[in-house]
Amino acid sequence: MTFCAAPFEGSTDSGHRSPMRRGACPSLATPMVTGDGLLVRLRPVRPGFTPGELIEIANAAAFCGNGILEITARGNLQIRGLTAETVPLLAEKIADAGIEIAEGLAIETPPLAGLDPSEIANPVFLAERLRLTVAAHQPPLSLAPKLSIVIDGGGRLNLGELTADIRLRAVRTGGKILWLLALAGTEATALRIATLEEAAVVPAVMDILESLALMGKDARARDIDPAAFNVRLASVVDPHDIESMKPAPNSAGIHELGAGRSILGVGLAFGQIQVQGLRTFLEALEIVGATEIRLAAGHAMMVIGIAADRIAVAQALALGHGLRAFPRDPRNHIAACAGMGACASALIDTRAIAQMVIDTAPSLLDGSLTVHVSGCTKGCAKPSASALTITAASIGYGLVVNGPAFAAPNAYIEENKIRTAMAHLHKLVSEGKQAGESARSCLTRLGADVITTAVQQG
């Protein structure tokens, strides 16, 4: 079955991609050129790693790369500073350690899948069936490298804020568990297509993937004419009658699962960690009983297996290693890309600017908004809009209000005035907030013109 397609951009006739191209997705097979060498991105076949497996990866990264590891906003592991000679060696070391790395189509499930008593259904089994079906398809499907699928069981650490080409979410209605199918977006923005019995899910998704493959190797779900698909699929219930998921809480902190079980969520500071720091932290976690580490959205790790009476010790260990281990850590609310020196496109030191925002404008970081610091207009750390985005500009910095990094800045700030500008913004919010008002609500009420005037004061 083939769907009608709307026009789309990005097609090429060459049959290959430049490693610098943003549309490429770095892997062991196709590393990407960055400012500090080659970068690869790893996803485990199983839901998580053992601490020992992550230690092996850290050792390999130290030997083959520059000693910097990252967890992405989507919860993938990245190894930086590789060369054409060391990438095959890295792959060999990972294989020798018996660590299975997923290749091909990205199928993502929540970090607590199968463990979370609040989830409606365990999405891991459905994800595995779909993965095997895609792998067995003949001829192999040629799909866009960044095409992604989210399969969400509906638990507390859901993936509602992640953008995906194809979204599946477990819903309970009329005493039955169904799967809500939506295309091209987040939980809030994706177009709802149908609600399906579980047996119908894999065939429906394969139908979409086959159609995308026929449309071309750069086709994405946004290019599908939804009417062409909608008329072919009978929903069990109207998909628009399904209640939206509640936003997931920040992953940092202790998550109680009931029956005396707890899981610790820890985040990397601005998405990066040195190999030595990660290795010593993981060794300490093993001592206190950790058995599994699951990577999570928001540059985070979920630490599983620690007894409830020792989890506070693990939380203190995380804090001591410079990690985000508490829900109120202001670093939870800043998205920063790799920045100048690590990325060839970045023109500013994003991590230094992120720390400066924490130091000079703490009133912004109450959890109601995310401040995005982007080294260029690509906005890799947060492609969607943010309440405030600081990005590189010709005179120093641009400030985008309620927009993504590629939007035209509302204000331009000279390089030597960024600290003063953030101090003015802190004062605007701290003094301008009404009783019970959040930073986001305050900035929304004041508006872009008032924000622009504040940051451009002398």
Side-chain angles (χ1 to χ4, degrees):
M1 183 187 301
T2 303
F3 308 129
C4 299
F8 63 94
E9 298 178 351
S11 297
T12 66
D13 297 322
S14 63
H16 66 276
R17 296 175 175 271
S18 164
M20 289 293 287
R21 182 173 173 172
R22 188 182 177 208
C25 196
S27 66
L28 285 168
T30 56
M32 184 173 71
V33 176
T34 64
D36 56 353
L38 297 178
L39 177 147
V40 300
R41 186 175 299 158
L42 308 178
R43 291 180 288 113
V45 169
R46 293 179 285 104
F49 298 103
T50 67
E53 287 174 334
L54 270 184
I55 289 172
E56 291 287 348
I57 291 175
N59 289 338
F63 189 84
C64 300
N66 63 5
I68 297 176
L69 290 176
E70 296 175 328
I71 299 177
T72 69
R74 300 184 75 91
N76 294 314
L77 186 66
Q78 290 189 162
I79 299 175
R80 305 193 70 94
L82 299 162
T83 67
E85 292 74 28
T86 61
V87 169
L89 181 57
L90 175 70
E92 181 181 337
K93 286 180 174 294
I94 290 173
D96 288 347
I99 302 169
E100 293 185 273
I101 300 299
E103 296 287 346
L105 179 63
I107 302 176
E108 299 166 309
T109 57
L112 299 185
L115 303 173
D116 186 352
S118 68
E119 70 181 356
I120 294 170
N122 183 350
V124 173
F125 305 112
L126 184 57
E128 182 61 18
R129 287 204 301 274
L130 180 58
R131 188 176 289 111
L132 291 173
T133 304
V134 171
H137 191 277
Q138 292 298 326
L141 295 173
S142 178
L143 300 168
K146 282 187 171 288
L147 191 143
S148 66
I149 299 174
V150 162
I151 305 182
D152 201 321
R156 71 186 75 191
L157 289 185
N158 62 71
L159 302 182
E161 293 188 4
L162 289 191
T163 299
D165 290 86
I166 301 170
R167 303 189 65 87
L168 290 158
R169 172 166 63 96
V171 296
R172 186 179 286 111
T173 180
K176 302 176 67 175
I177 294 176
L178 304 173
W179 292 88
L180 173 64
L181 173 64
L183 299 178
T186 64
E187 164 72 16
T189 63
L191 182 64
R192 295 181 174 189
I193 298 298
T195 52
L196 306 171
E197 302 274 5
E198 184 167 319
V201 169
V202 171
V205 174
M206 291 303 297
D207 211 1
I208 297 172
L209 295 177
E210 289 168 357
S211 295
L212 287 171
L214 289 173
M215 290 162 59
K217 63 181 181 299
D218 288 319
R220 304 293 292 271
R222 61 178 176 264
D223 304 314
I224 291 176
D225 177 1
F229 180 58
N230 208 17
V231 297
R232 291 170 168 82
L233 192 63
S235 290
V236 178
V237 297
D238 188 334
H240 300 95
D241 290 340
I242 302 297
E243 184 178 353
S244 294
M245 282 192 301
K246 294 180 180 179
N250 192 281
S251 54
I254 296 174
H255 301 269
E256 305 288 350
L257 300 185
R261 296 184 303 148
S262 301
I263 288 176
L264 175 64
V266 298
L268 305 190
F270 311 133
Q272 280 190 353
I273 191 169
Q274 292 287 333
V275 163
Q276 183 58 42
L278 177 62
R279 188 163 46 206
T280 57
F281 176 57
L282 292 169
E283 290 168 351
L285 287 181
E286 284 190 304
I287 292 172
V288 296
T291 57
E292 184 181 3
I293 308 291
R294 295 191 180 184
L295 307 185
H299 315 282
M301 302 181 288
M302 310 307 296
V303 184
I304 299 167
I306 300 175
D309 61 351
R310 306 191 79 184
I311 202 160
V313 174
Q315 192 174 32
L317 285 169
L319 188 62
H321 282 81
L323 299 169
R324 298 180 285 113
F326 292 86
R328 293 188 179 181
D329 191 319
R331 295 173 297 176
N332 293 335
H333 312 302
I334 294 186
C337 66
M340 186 171 59
C343 176
S345 299
L347 301 176
I348 59 175
D349 185 342
T350 53
R351 282 164 175 73
I353 296 300
Q355 187 60 53
M356 181 273 298
V357 172
I358 292 172
D359 295 338
T360 60
S363 62
L364 301 176
L365 306 175
D366 62 356
S368 64
L369 59 85
T370 296
V371 176
H372 179 196
V373 185
S374 183
C376 71
T377 58
K378 292 190 297 184
C380 297
K382 193 175 186 297
S384 57
S386 290
L388 292 169
T389 297
I390 300 170
T391 188
S394 57
I395 67 168
Y397 304 94
L399 181 71
V400 179
V401 179
N402 288 323
F406 60 78
N410 297 84
Y412 290 94
I413 305 165
E414 293 179 26
E415 185 174 358
N416 63 348
K417 293 183 178 180
I418 184 66
R419 180 176 290 271
T420 301
M422 289 300 104
H424 286 318
L425 193 52
H426 166 69
K427 182 178 180 181
L428 177 71
V429 173
S430 59
E431 295 181 358
K433 270 202 239 182
Q434 298 176 352
E437 194 173 37
S438 68
R440 175 183 283 277
S441 297
C442 177
L443 292 175
T444 299
R445 175 173 54 80
L446 294 174
D449 290 344
V450 172
I451 296 169
T452 298
T453 299
V455 300
Q456 289 182 326
Q457 295 179 57

